[in-house]
Amino acid sequence: MSGFVLAIDQGTTSSRAIVFDGSMKVAGVGQKEFTQHFPASGWVEHDPEEIWESVVSTCRTALKKAGKTAADISAIGITNQRETVVIWDKASGKPIHNAIVWQDRRTAPLCAKLKKQGLEPKFTRKTGLLLDPYFSGTKISWLLDKVKGARKRAERGELLAGTIDSFLIWRLTGGKVHATDATNASRTLVYNIEKNDWDAELLDILRIPAALLPEVKDCAADYGATEKTLFGAEIPILGVAGDQQAATIGQACFEPGMMKSTYGTGCFALLNTGADVVRSKNRLLTTIAYRLDGRTTYALEGSIFVAGAAVQWLRDGIKVIGKAEHSGELAAKADDTQSVYLVPAFVGLGAPHWDADARGAIFGLTRNTGPEEFARAALESVAYQTRDLLDAMKKDWKGSNGKTVLRVDGGMVASDWTMQRLADILDAPVDRPTVLETTALGAAWLAGSRAGVWPKARQFAKAWALDRQFKPAMDAKVRATKLKGWQEAVRRTLATR
C-alpha cells in the first residue's frame, strides 16, 4: 500500500479535501465554499445536499492536483464541523430538512425549560456538557417535533440521524454504514462519556428514539469503503474525529497538560487531561479528546462561538474592511489612545459565560474610530476570549503548574500581529507549527496509522515542527488595564447579568 491518505475536512463555511503523501506533506488540495442559510434571527442552516456535492467535488479536485487516482490512496480520514446535525430518510438517503448548524440558537427555549426542571446537573454529569443550544441533542428533538411526520417516521425506524461525519459516511458507503466516532458522539448531549454509550435516560428526556443514532466507534477504526462509482475505486474510511479533536491530534497533543487552540469561524481550546474525567467548576466542558484501541483520553474544552467570524462580519456585514487577511495590517495602524472593545456575541456567548441570549456589542467608540480600530477590536476579542478560557482551565486543572504553552492552528494564525497580541494578552508563549493544516492532518493520521502506512503516535509527535514562537512582550500594567476594560464590556453585554 502507498502512504497517500485523503483527508476530508468538512467545515462550517467550506469543504476541503487534502491528499497527504507518505511523508505527511500536502500533495493536493481542493476547497469549495457553500451557502450559509439564516432563516430567522439566531438560526443557522446548511443544505446537506450542497455539503455532499462540495465534498465529492473537492475530493476529486485534490486527487487531480496530487496527480493520483483513488487506487493510489491507502485510506480516507474524515473530520467535520461538530454538533451540526442532519436527519435523513433511511431508504433514499435524502435529508428531511436542512442541517441545523452548531451556531444555531433556536433550541434556547427548550434548554431553558430543561434547566428550569433542574435537569442540567444530570446532563452535565453524564455528558460533560451544559444545556445549551450549541449541542446536537436538542436540535434532533426540534427536527422531530417540527418536521411534519418526522417523529412517527423515526419511531417506525424509517429515519436516521447523525452529525455531518455520519451523513458523509452513509453517503460515501452507499448507505451501508451508519456510524460515528466517540468524539462526535460526545458532543450530542445524549452520550455518556464515562460508559462510552448512548444514554437511555437522556434519550428519553429529549424524546429521541435510539434507533435513529449511529454506531459509535474508535477514532481509528473501519468505517466501510467508498463506492467505486464516486472516485473510480473503493477507498477504505479508517479515521474519523470532530474538527477540534482532529486538530488536537494533528498538533500531537497526546500527553496530559498539552493544549491547543484552533482559530477558525469560532475558537476552540482543548487541554488534554489524560484518563482523568476532570469536572469543571468554571463552566468549561468535559469532553472526549480521542478514543484509540478502546482507550479513552479526555479533555477540558472551552468553546468560543465567534473568532474569525468577527473578521468576516467586518468584511461582509458592515464592509469596514476589504479583505479578511488584511485585518492584522489594519489593526497594527490603530490609534493606541482609543480603547475600543468588540464583544462578538452574535450567536450568544460560549465558555465560560454560556449566555445564549447575549448579543454582540461594541464599546468605546469616538468620532475618531475608524476601520483600523474596528479591526483591532475584532482581533483582540479573540485574544480576550482565549484568556477567559485559559484562566478557567487553570482553576479546574492544576497539572500545568500555572505554566502553559499554547499550540495554535486555523486560518487566523497566519497573522503575526494577531498571534503576538494573543501571546501578550495571555501572558504565555504561543507556538505556531510549520504545518497549519492540523485538523486535516489529524484526520489523515488516524486513517494512515490505522492503515499501517503512517507512524504510530510517538513517532508522529516527533515529526511536529515549530514555525515560530510568539512570546509575551506587553507591559503588565497595560495588559491589566486592557483586561479590566474587556471584563467590563462583557459584563455590560451579558443578558443574564
Side-chain angles (χ1 to χ4, degrees):
M1 296 177 71
S2 76
F4 285 89
V5 176
L6 174 61
I8 295 172
D9 183 357
Q10 203 298 297
T12 308
T13 58
S14 70
S15 296
R16 306 178 75 223
I18 300 177
V19 174
F20 290 91
D21 65 20
S23 301
M24 299 181 287
K25 298 290 192 296
V26 174
V29 180
Q31 181 165 357
K32 190 173 183 180
E33 291 190 1
F34 52 85
T35 310
Q36 307 293 305
H37 299 273
F38 307 101
S41 177
W43 292 27
V44 191
E45 294 180 357
H46 292 157
D47 178 354
E49 295 292 354
E50 189 179 5
I51 287 177
W52 167 244
E53 289 166 8
S54 70
V55 166
V56 174
S57 171
T58 54
C59 285
R60 290 171 177 166
T61 299
L63 287 168
K64 185 177 180 180
K65 288 186 176 180
K68 300 295 174 183
T69 67
D72 298 314
I73 304 300
S74 297
I76 286 177
I78 298 174
T79 183
N80 57 288
Q81 51 168 320
R82 304 173 307 172
E83 296 93 19
T84 297
V85 76
V86 188
I87 297 181
W88 65 93
D89 184 284
K90 189 175 182 179
S92 69
K94 292 187 176 181
I96 66 168
H97 190 277
N98 273 348
I100 302 182
V101 180
W102 58 272
Q103 298 165 311
D104 190 280
R105 314 306 286 170
R106 75 186 67 186
T107 62
L110 174 56
C111 292
K113 178 183 175 182
L114 294 170
K115 285 181 184 178
K116 194 173 182 180
Q117 293 172 354
L119 291 171
E120 186 168 61
K122 184 187 294 289
F123 277 90
T124 300
R125 185 178 71 255
K126 293 186 173 192
T127 70
L129 309 178
L130 300 167
L131 277 173
D132 188 87
Y134 173 32
F135 305 108
S136 310
T138 57
K139 294 173 169 55
I140 295 173
S141 185
W142 187 94
L143 286 166
L144 293 177
D145 284 338
K146 301 299 182 181
V147 177
K148 188 176 180 180
R151 185 167 292 284
K152 288 184 178 179
R153 293 188 67 202
E155 289 169 353
R156 290 198 299 264
E158 296 173 9
L159 302 179
L160 297 176
T163 41
I164 294 296
D165 59 305
S166 294
F167 177 66
L168 292 179
I169 291 166
W170 180 263
R171 283 289 183 89
L172 287 167
T173 62
K176 294 183 181 70
V177 179
H178 185 38
T180 189
D181 84 296
T183 69
N184 277 296
S186 75
R187 313 297 296 188
T188 59
L189 206 59
V190 289
Y191 189 74
N192 191 309
I193 61 172
E194 290 194 78
K195 292 183 178 179
N196 267 287
D197 201 0
W198 300 116
D199 192 283
E201 183 181 17
L202 300 183
L203 288 171
D204 186 57
I205 291 170
L206 292 179
R207 299 172 63 229
I208 298 173
L212 269 179
L213 300 174
E215 177 187 358
V216 182
K217 296 174 176 275
D218 283 0
C219 299
D222 182 4
Y223 289 86
T226 63
E227 286 196 297
K228 185 178 179 180
T229 53
L230 287 173
F231 308 117
E234 291 187 352
I235 309 173
I237 304 167
L238 299 181
V240 178
D243 53 9
Q244 304 312 318
Q245 282 91 341
T248 303
I249 293 165
Q251 289 277 33
C253 291
F254 293 124
E255 298 298 324
M258 298 185 75
M259 181 179 175
K260 77 89 204 177
S261 192
T262 298
Y263 296 94
T265 302
C267 163
F268 302 87
L270 267 74
L271 175 70
N272 184 326
T273 61
D276 296 333
V277 181
V278 178
R279 301 294 182 180
S280 176
K281 297 178 181 177
N282 294 281
R283 295 182 68 75
L284 296 174
L285 306 177
T286 305
T287 197
I288 293 177
Y290 48 84
R291 196 174 84 195
L292 298 172
D293 299 321
R295 292 190 297 271
T296 304
T297 295
Y298 296 93
L300 280 173
E301 176 176 333
S303 307
I304 297 168
F305 298 149
V306 173
V311 179
Q312 291 175 327
W313 172 71
L314 292 183
R315 182 192 66 191
D316 304 331
I318 59 174
K319 304 187 188 307
V320 169
I321 61 175
K323 293 184 177 181
E325 57 266 31
H326 293 164
S327 56
E329 298 171 18
L330 207 58
K333 299 174 183 176
D335 179 3
D336 284 335
T337 65
Q338 294 191 50
S339 297
V340 180
Y341 293 92
L342 170 65
V343 183
F346 304 131
V347 289
L349 279 175
H353 310 290
W354 293 105
D355 188 339
D357 296 320
R359 287 298 176 262
I362 191 160
F363 300 92
L365 299 181
T366 71
R367 286 288 299 272
N368 291 330
T369 302
E372 295 85 357
E373 287 72 37
F374 271 84
R376 186 179 65 181
L379 296 180
E380 284 189 332
S381 74
V382 176
Y384 291 132
Q385 291 178 98
T386 307
R387 173 64 186 249
D388 288 346
L389 298 183
L390 183 59
D391 287 347
M393 285 178 173
K394 286 181 176 179
K395 291 176 184 175
D396 281 333
W397 193 75
K398 305 302 181 184
S400 64
N401 296 318
K403 295 181 180 179
T404 304
V405 176
L406 183 65
R407 288 186 173 180
V408 296
D409 53 74
M412 295 189 78
V413 307
S415 167
D416 288 355
W417 189 92
T418 306
M419 292 302 98
Q420 183 57 55
R421 187 51 55 103
L422 178 62
D424 288 340
I425 297 299
L426 294 182
D427 192 22
V430 171
D431 284 357
R432 182 172 66 193
T434 55
V435 178
L436 295 180
E437 303 288 358
T438 54
T439 304
L441 180 61
W445 177 78
L446 288 169
S449 62
R450 173 76 178 183
V453 297
W454 279 24
K456 296 300 182 183
R458 185 171 295 180
Q459 288 301 117
F460 177 68
K462 288 181 179 178
W464 186 92
L466 178 69
D467 168 54
R468 179 175 171 184
Q469 182 175 79
F470 297 86
K471 297 180 180 179
M474 182 178 284
D475 179 80
K477 290 183 179 180
V478 173
R479 180 187 303 110
T481 299
K482 284 181 169 290
L483 287 170
K484 185 177 180 182
W486 165 254
Q487 290 155 6
E488 175 61 17
V490 170
R491 187 191 69 79
R492 293 184 180 197
T493 304
L494 291 172
T496 55
R497 64 183 185 273

